[in-house]
Amino acid sequence: MGAVLGLVALLAVGIAGVYAVAAHLAPRAVAETGPFLSGARPREHALSRFHVRWYTVTLVFLAFDMEMIFMYPWAVVVAELGPMAVVEMFVFLGLLLVGVLYAWREGAFRWA
């Protein structure tokens, strides 16, 4: 327990140190110039909201990303686990297919 508390304290000191260095080295005056965009003024704020379509694209990307994260270790041990591992992977792929079909039905893949 003491080691964990020591590690948390060391982490807190490190974070406080980084903030102190950043506050010390940061410029004091606010710059009066805008961001450089080939000489043109930006049309929208840098923190503007994204179109809702990008959230569904992100979810589809995460579905395929999770597929790869689970398939690589599975490919290493599938021979040892036998046919049950193959069945489990097909169930997993079926669940991902349901998610992709739902996204397709909702129009996540239409770009026009």
mmCIF file with all atom_site columns, all heavy atoms in Angstrom, residues 8-9 13 28 82 96 100:
data_model
loop_
_atom_site.group_PDB
_atom_site.id
_atom_site.type_symbol
_atom_site.label_atom_id
_atom_site.label_alt_id
_atom_site.label_comp_id
_atom_site.label_asym_id
_atom_site.label_entity_id
_atom_site.label_seq_id
_atom_site.pdbx_PDB_ins_code
_atom_site.Cartn_x
_atom_site.Cartn_y
_atom_site.Cartn_z
_atom_site.occupancy
_atom_site.B_iso_or_equiv
_atom_site.pdbx_formal_charge
_atom_site.auth_seq_id
_atom_site.auth_comp_id
_atom_site.auth_asym_id
_atom_site.auth_atom_id
_atom_site.pdbx_PDB_model_num
ATOM 1  N N   . VAL A 1 8   ? 1.700   7.339   -6.441  1.00 0.00 ? 8   VAL A N   1
ATOM 2  C CA  . VAL A 1 8   ? 0.701   8.378   -6.685  1.00 0.00 ? 8   VAL A CA  1
ATOM 3  C C   . VAL A 1 8   ? 1.266   9.747   -6.311  1.00 0.00 ? 8   VAL A C   1
ATOM 4  O O   . VAL A 1 8   ? 1.065   10.735  -7.033  1.00 0.00 ? 8   VAL A O   1
ATOM 5  C CB  . VAL A 1 8   ? -0.601  8.068   -5.924  1.00 0.00 ? 8   VAL A CB  1
ATOM 6  C CG1 . VAL A 1 8   ? -1.552  9.250   -5.946  1.00 0.00 ? 8   VAL A CG1 1
ATOM 7  C CG2 . VAL A 1 8   ? -1.274  6.836   -6.505  1.00 0.00 ? 8   VAL A CG2 1
ATOM 8  N N   . ALA A 1 9   ? 1.986   9.823   -5.203  1.00 0.00 ? 9   ALA A N   1
ATOM 9  C CA  . ALA A 1 9   ? 2.592   11.092  -4.798  1.00 0.00 ? 9   ALA A CA  1
ATOM 10 C C   . ALA A 1 9   ? 3.640   11.539  -5.815  1.00 0.00 ? 9   ALA A C   1
ATOM 11 O O   . ALA A 1 9   ? 3.710   12.726  -6.162  1.00 0.00 ? 9   ALA A O   1
ATOM 12 C CB  . ALA A 1 9   ? 3.218   10.953  -3.412  1.00 0.00 ? 9   ALA A CB  1
ATOM 13 N N   . VAL A 1 13  ? 3.520   15.008  -8.001  1.00 0.00 ? 13  VAL A N   1
ATOM 14 C CA  . VAL A 1 13  ? 4.635   15.957  -8.036  1.00 0.00 ? 13  VAL A CA  1
ATOM 15 C C   . VAL A 1 13  ? 5.096   16.176  -9.474  1.00 0.00 ? 13  VAL A C   1
ATOM 16 O O   . VAL A 1 13  ? 5.386   17.309  -9.881  1.00 0.00 ? 13  VAL A O   1
ATOM 17 C CB  . VAL A 1 13  ? 5.796   15.462  -7.141  1.00 0.00 ? 13  VAL A CB  1
ATOM 18 C CG1 . VAL A 1 13  ? 7.068   16.258  -7.375  1.00 0.00 ? 13  VAL A CG1 1
ATOM 19 C CG2 . VAL A 1 13  ? 5.394   15.534  -5.675  1.00 0.00 ? 13  VAL A CG2 1
ATOM 20 N N   . ARG A 1 28  ? 3.619   35.841  -21.825 1.00 0.00 ? 28  ARG A N   1
ATOM 21 C CA  . ARG A 1 28  ? 2.700   36.612  -20.978 1.00 0.00 ? 28  ARG A CA  1
ATOM 22 C C   . ARG A 1 28  ? 1.670   37.384  -21.797 1.00 0.00 ? 28  ARG A C   1
ATOM 23 O O   . ARG A 1 28  ? 0.557   37.559  -21.373 1.00 0.00 ? 28  ARG A O   1
ATOM 24 C CB  . ARG A 1 28  ? 3.486   37.582  -20.101 1.00 0.00 ? 28  ARG A CB  1
ATOM 25 C CG  . ARG A 1 28  ? 4.508   36.902  -19.231 1.00 0.00 ? 28  ARG A CG  1
ATOM 26 C CD  . ARG A 1 28  ? 3.832   36.188  -18.087 1.00 0.00 ? 28  ARG A CD  1
ATOM 27 N NE  . ARG A 1 28  ? 4.839   35.518  -17.279 1.00 0.00 ? 28  ARG A NE  1
ATOM 28 C CZ  . ARG A 1 28  ? 4.774   34.254  -16.931 1.00 0.00 ? 28  ARG A CZ  1
ATOM 29 N NH1 . ARG A 1 28  ? 3.779   33.503  -17.325 1.00 0.00 ? 28  ARG A NH1 1
ATOM 30 N NH2 . ARG A 1 28  ? 5.712   33.719  -16.195 1.00 0.00 ? 28  ARG A NH2 1
ATOM 31 N N   . GLY A 1 82  ? -8.998  -25.187 -30.113 1.00 0.00 ? 82  GLY A N   1
ATOM 32 C CA  . GLY A 1 82  ? -9.842  -26.103 -30.856 1.00 0.00 ? 82  GLY A CA  1
ATOM 33 C C   . GLY A 1 82  ? -11.048 -25.450 -31.497 1.00 0.00 ? 82  GLY A C   1
ATOM 34 O O   . GLY A 1 82  ? -11.103 -24.228 -31.677 1.00 0.00 ? 82  GLY A O   1
ATOM 35 N N   . LEU A 1 96  ? -20.342 -8.077  -34.786 1.00 0.00 ? 96  LEU A N   1
ATOM 36 C CA  . LEU A 1 96  ? -19.801 -6.919  -35.501 1.00 0.00 ? 96  LEU A CA  1
ATOM 37 C C   . LEU A 1 96  ? -20.558 -6.684  -36.808 1.00 0.00 ? 96  LEU A C   1
ATOM 38 O O   . LEU A 1 96  ? -20.803 -5.540  -37.188 1.00 0.00 ? 96  LEU A O   1
ATOM 39 C CB  . LEU A 1 96  ? -18.317 -7.122  -35.797 1.00 0.00 ? 96  LEU A CB  1
ATOM 40 C CG  . LEU A 1 96  ? -17.383 -6.926  -34.619 1.00 0.00 ? 96  LEU A CG  1
ATOM 41 C CD1 . LEU A 1 96  ? -15.950 -7.211  -35.047 1.00 0.00 ? 96  LEU A CD1 1
ATOM 42 C CD2 . LEU A 1 96  ? -17.488 -5.541  -34.049 1.00 0.00 ? 96  LEU A CD2 1
ATOM 43 N N   . VAL A 1 100 ? -22.380 -3.287  -38.181 1.00 0.00 ? 100 VAL A N   1
ATOM 44 C CA  . VAL A 1 100 ? -22.100 -2.681  -39.484 1.00 0.00 ? 100 VAL A CA  1
ATOM 45 C C   . VAL A 1 100 ? -23.376 -2.573  -40.311 1.00 0.00 ? 100 VAL A C   1
ATOM 46 O O   . VAL A 1 100 ? -23.623 -1.559  -40.968 1.00 0.00 ? 100 VAL A O   1
ATOM 47 C CB  . VAL A 1 100 ? -21.007 -3.483  -40.232 1.00 0.00 ? 100 VAL A CB  1
ATOM 48 C CG1 . VAL A 1 100 ? -20.899 -3.050  -41.677 1.00 0.00 ? 100 VAL A CG1 1
ATOM 49 C CG2 . VAL A 1 100 ? -19.674 -3.327  -39.526 1.00 0.00 ? 100 VAL A CG2 1
#
